[in-house]
């Protein structure tokens, strides 16, 4: 059965989805639930659209409540189809709802320096309340998009990446060091006692 066929059997409803989440543990603690342990039988396509600037839209209208967006982001997942394309979805124990994403599904809006036991960490905050530090599990990469513009991304969770806002990346440049290495400009960032090299993507 195709996703389109399944969609006819499971009409997603934004209010029903939000009510389900609000009664779950996720609503009060914003813990990221174990999506990999959920195997819903209802599969559908939902008119949800995450724009490149981090805005979430439903049925042509922007979702204005940050708390609701944050809640939906906690059940966001990604898979790769047979053609190698990324597919994004919202998942509950009973439904898997495919949605549309323009670029990265998450968006980094702030970065700061945190000192802990004399060690400097770079701590990021997303528009959907994810807070994490630059480390081996959360690496930054630069990638060229279809318009040849190079943009910075960082791995957040569940194989989900976040686009780093331009202003945030400029701040990272101020916090780090730009050096020439093998004829290429490389950004060096210190976090958790480790020096990370951020280089331009290969041609």
């Amino acid at each position: 059965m195709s996703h389109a066929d399944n969609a006819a059997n499971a009409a997603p409803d934004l209010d029903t989805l939000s009510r389900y989440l609000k009664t779950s543990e996720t609503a009060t603690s914003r813990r990221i639930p174990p999506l990999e342990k959920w195997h819903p039988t209802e599969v559908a396509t939902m008119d949800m659209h995450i724009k490149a600037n981090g805005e979430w839209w439903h049925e042509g209208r922007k979702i204005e409540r940050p708390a609701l967006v944050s809640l939906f982001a906690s059940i966001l997942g990604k898979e790769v189809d047979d053609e190698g394309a990324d597919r994004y979805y919202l998942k509950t124990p009973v439904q898997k709802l495919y949605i549309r994403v323009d670029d990265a599904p998450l968006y980094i809006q702030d970065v700061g320096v945190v000192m802990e036991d004399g060690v400097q960490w770079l701590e990021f905050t997303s528009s959907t309340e994810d807070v994490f530090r630059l480390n081996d599990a959360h690496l930054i990469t630069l990638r060229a998009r279809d318009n040849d513009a190079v943009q910075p991304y960082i791995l957040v969770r569940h194989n989900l990446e976040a686009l780093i806002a331009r202003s945030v990346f400029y701040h990272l440049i101020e916090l780090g060091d730009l050096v020439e290495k093998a004829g290429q400009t490389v950004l060096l960032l210190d976090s958790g006692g480790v020096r990370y090299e951020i280089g331009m993507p290969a041609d």
Side-chain angles (χ1 to χ4, degrees), residues 10-171:
D13 178 84
L14 187 65
D15 291 336
T16 300
L17 181 60
S18 62
R19 282 198 299 270
Y20 170 82
L21 291 173
K22 287 176 182 178
T23 58
S24 71
E25 184 179 19
T26 303
T28 56
S29 63
R30 203 190 177 271
R31 294 179 183 174
I32 303 302
L35 302 186
E36 70 281 357
K37 296 182 180 180
W38 293 349
H39 304 285
T41 57
E42 296 180 3
V43 179
T45 298
M46 187 177 198
D47 188 5
M48 184 83 78
H49 177 197
I50 304 177
K51 297 192 175 183
N53 62 1
E55 293 178 352
W56 288 55
W57 289 63
H58 178 251
E59 296 182 346
R61 295 182 180 182
K62 180 182 175 182
I63 301 177
E64 299 287 356
R65 295 169 56 194
L68 189 58
V69 171
S70 179
L71 207 55
F72 289 145
S74 71
I75 58 167
L76 179 67
K78 185 185 82 169
E79 65 188 22
V80 179
D81 65 18
D82 294 338
E83 298 179 354
D86 293 338
R87 299 194 70 192
Y88 296 94
Y89 55 82
L90 304 179
K91 185 193 280 189
T92 73
V94 296
Q95 281 191 320
K96 183 177 184 179
L97 307 172
Y98 286 94
I99 65 173
R100 184 158 56 101
V101 176
D102 282 346
D103 193 352
L106 304 174
Y107 190 75
I108 300 300
Q109 61 181 12
D110 188 39
V111 63
V113 175
V114 176
M115 297 299 297
E116 189 172 277
D117 298 327
V119 178
Q120 171 183 296
W121 291 88
L122 295 180
E123 189 169 271
F124 295 83
T125 303
S126 77
S127 59
T128 48
E129 299 183 359
D130 293 285
V131 179
F132 57 93
R133 296 174 179 180
L134 175 62
N135 57 26
D136 291 346
H138 305 285
L139 295 175
I140 297 173
T141 58
L142 297 178
R143 290 204 304 274
R145 304 302 300 168
D146 295 337
N147 60 1
D148 293 329
V150 175
Q151 299 195 78
Y153 300 85
I154 187 167
L155 185 62
V156 181
R157 54 180 164 77
H158 289 326
N159 295 319
L160 297 175
E161 286 187 312
L163 174 64
I164 299 175
R166 186 177 300 272
S167 60
V168 173
F169 192 67
Y170 287 157
H171 189 35

